[in-house]
mmCIF file of all heavy atoms in Angstrom:
data_model
loop_
_atom_site.group_PDB
_atom_site.id
_atom_site.type_symbol
_atom_site.label_atom_id
_atom_site.label_comp_id
_atom_site.label_asym_id
_atom_site.label_seq_id
_atom_site.Cartn_x
_atom_site.Cartn_y
_atom_site.Cartn_z
ATOM 1 N N ASP L 14 111.178 126.591 71.722
ATOM 2 C CA ASP L 14 111.224 125.179 72.045
ATOM 3 C C ASP L 14 110.089 124.702 72.851
ATOM 4 O O ASP L 14 109.679 125.380 73.804
ATOM 5 C CB ASP L 14 112.549 124.820 72.758
ATOM 6 C CG ASP L 14 113.698 124.895 71.777
ATOM 7 O OD1 ASP L 14 113.513 124.960 70.617
ATOM 8 O OD2 ASP L 14 114.879 125.003 72.400
ATOM 9 N N GLU L 15 109.524 123.625 72.601
ATOM 10 C CA GLU L 15 108.449 123.002 73.381
ATOM 11 C C GLU L 15 109.156 122.197 74.530
ATOM 12 O O GLU L 15 110.080 121.463 74.308
ATOM 13 C CB GLU L 15 107.604 122.126 72.616
ATOM 14 C CG GLU L 15 106.697 122.770 71.591
ATOM 15 C CD GLU L 15 105.698 123.716 72.207
ATOM 16 O OE1 GLU L 15 105.129 123.275 73.214
ATOM 17 O OE2 GLU L 15 105.506 124.789 71.672
ATOM 18 N N LEU L 16 108.787 122.493 75.765
ATOM 19 C CA LEU L 16 109.315 121.738 76.885
ATOM 20 C C LEU L 16 108.465 120.536 77.227
ATOM 21 O O LEU L 16 107.242 120.677 77.109
ATOM 22 C CB LEU L 16 109.438 122.759 78.110
ATOM 23 C CG LEU L 16 110.379 123.867 77.954
ATOM 24 C CD1 LEU L 16 110.293 124.773 79.196
ATOM 25 C CD2 LEU L 16 111.786 123.395 77.685
ATOM 26 N N PRO L 17 109.099 119.522 77.612
ATOM 27 C CA PRO L 17 108.274 118.326 77.992
ATOM 28 C C PRO L 17 107.569 118.595 79.267
ATOM 29 O O PRO L 17 108.005 119.352 80.079
ATOM 30 C CB PRO L 17 109.398 117.216 78.114
ATOM 31 C CG PRO L 17 110.661 117.945 78.458
ATOM 32 C CD PRO L 17 110.590 119.257 77.756
ATOM 33 N N ASP L 18 106.436 117.903 79.360
ATOM 34 C CA ASP L 18 105.655 117.969 80.590
ATOM 35 C C ASP L 18 106.349 117.236 81.683
ATOM 36 O O ASP L 18 106.859 116.082 81.432
ATOM 37 C CB ASP L 18 104.231 117.388 80.493
ATOM 38 C CG ASP L 18 103.362 118.199 79.589
ATOM 39 O OD1 ASP L 18 103.605 119.408 79.548
ATOM 40 O OD2 ASP L 18 102.431 117.636 78.916
ATOM 41 N N VAL L 19 106.614 117.737 82.802
ATOM 42 C CA VAL L 19 107.353 117.201 83.904
ATOM 43 C C VAL L 19 106.441 117.199 85.115
ATOM 44 O O VAL L 19 105.899 118.166 85.529
ATOM 45 C CB VAL L 19 108.641 117.902 84.226
ATOM 46 C CG1 VAL L 19 109.396 117.333 85.412
ATOM 47 C CG2 VAL L 19 109.581 117.975 83.001
ATOM 48 N N ASP L 20 106.294 115.917 85.689
ATOM 49 C CA ASP L 20 105.506 115.761 86.886
ATOM 50 C C ASP L 20 106.448 115.997 88.125
ATOM 51 O O ASP L 20 107.331 115.248 88.379
ATOM 52 C CB ASP L 20 104.896 114.375 86.935
ATOM 53 C CG ASP L 20 104.015 114.184 88.165
ATOM 54 O OD1 ASP L 20 103.754 115.155 88.875
ATOM 55 O OD2 ASP L 20 103.630 113.002 88.367
ATOM 56 N N LEU L 21 106.168 117.130 88.840
ATOM 57 C CA LEU L 21 107.047 117.441 89.965
ATOM 58 C C LEU L 21 106.492 116.951 91.312
ATOM 59 O O LEU L 21 107.064 117.236 92.325
ATOM 60 C CB LEU L 21 107.244 118.956 90.059
ATOM 61 C CG LEU L 21 107.988 119.583 88.865
ATOM 62 C CD1 LEU L 21 108.080 121.036 89.019
ATOM 63 C CD2 LEU L 21 109.364 118.967 88.689
ATOM 64 N N SER L 22 105.381 116.197 91.208
ATOM 65 C CA SER L 22 104.857 115.629 92.488
ATOM 66 C C SER L 22 105.734 114.521 92.899
ATOM 67 O O SER L 22 106.472 113.869 92.194
ATOM 68 C CB SER L 22 103.435 115.134 92.246
ATOM 69 O OG SER L 22 103.399 114.127 91.347
ATOM 70 N N PRO L 23 105.683 114.207 94.289
ATOM 71 C CA PRO L 23 106.508 113.140 94.821
ATOM 72 C C PRO L 23 106.123 111.845 94.093
ATOM 73 O O PRO L 23 105.009 111.585 93.767
ATOM 74 C CB PRO L 23 106.168 113.080 96.272
ATOM 75 C CG PRO L 23 105.470 114.352 96.605
ATOM 76 C CD PRO L 23 104.907 114.887 95.337
ATOM 77 N N ASN L 24 107.175 110.957 93.903
ATOM 78 C CA ASN L 24 106.940 109.734 93.315
ATOM 79 C C ASN L 24 106.502 108.729 94.308
ATOM 80 O O ASN L 24 107.218 108.393 95.213
ATOM 81 C CB ASN L 24 108.188 109.226 92.563
ATOM 82 C CG ASN L 24 108.643 110.107 91.421
ATOM 83 O OD1 ASN L 24 107.782 110.664 90.772
ATOM 84 N ND2 ASN L 24 109.925 110.251 91.216
ATOM 85 N N PRO L 25 105.243 108.228 94.140
ATOM 86 C CA PRO L 25 104.827 107.137 95.101
ATOM 87 C C PRO L 25 105.564 105.897 94.764
ATOM 88 O O PRO L 25 106.122 105.723 93.667
ATOM 89 C CB PRO L 25 103.366 106.972 94.725
ATOM 90 C CG PRO L 25 103.118 107.518 93.432
ATOM 91 C CD PRO L 25 104.252 108.594 93.160
ATOM 92 N N PRO L 26 105.723 105.061 95.835
ATOM 93 C CA PRO L 26 106.478 103.770 95.587
ATOM 94 C C PRO L 26 105.733 102.966 94.468
ATOM 95 O O PRO L 26 104.565 103.164 94.236
ATOM 96 C CB PRO L 26 106.398 103.087 96.881
ATOM 97 C CG PRO L 26 105.336 103.758 97.733
ATOM 98 C CD PRO L 26 105.235 105.140 97.108
ATOM 99 N N SER L 27 106.451 102.225 93.721
ATOM 100 C CA SER L 27 105.870 101.436 92.641
ATOM 101 C C SER L 27 104.860 100.371 93.137
ATOM 102 O O SER L 27 103.856 100.090 92.482
ATOM 103 C CB SER L 27 106.941 100.703 91.766
ATOM 104 O OG SER L 27 107.758 99.958 92.617
ATOM 105 N N VAL L 28 105.103 99.863 94.389
ATOM 106 C CA VAL L 28 104.215 98.964 94.969
ATOM 107 C C VAL L 28 103.797 99.564 96.360
ATOM 108 O O VAL L 28 104.755 99.965 97.145
ATOM 109 C CB VAL L 28 104.866 97.629 95.111
ATOM 110 C CG1 VAL L 28 103.909 96.626 95.934
ATOM 111 C CG2 VAL L 28 105.249 97.051 93.831
ATOM 112 N N VAL L 29 102.629 99.767 96.713
ATOM 113 C CA VAL L 29 102.136 100.214 97.923
ATOM 114 C C VAL L 29 102.509 99.200 99.027
ATOM 115 O O VAL L 29 102.038 98.074 98.891
ATOM 116 C CB VAL L 29 100.623 100.593 97.915
ATOM 117 C CG1 VAL L 29 100.128 101.017 99.286
ATOM 118 C CG2 VAL L 29 100.346 101.706 96.893
#
Side-chain angles (χ1 to χ4, degrees):
D14 292 340
E15 292 294 320
L16 297 175
D18 290 331
V19 177
D20 182 9
L21 297 177
S22 61
N24 293 327
S27 57
V28 176
V29 175

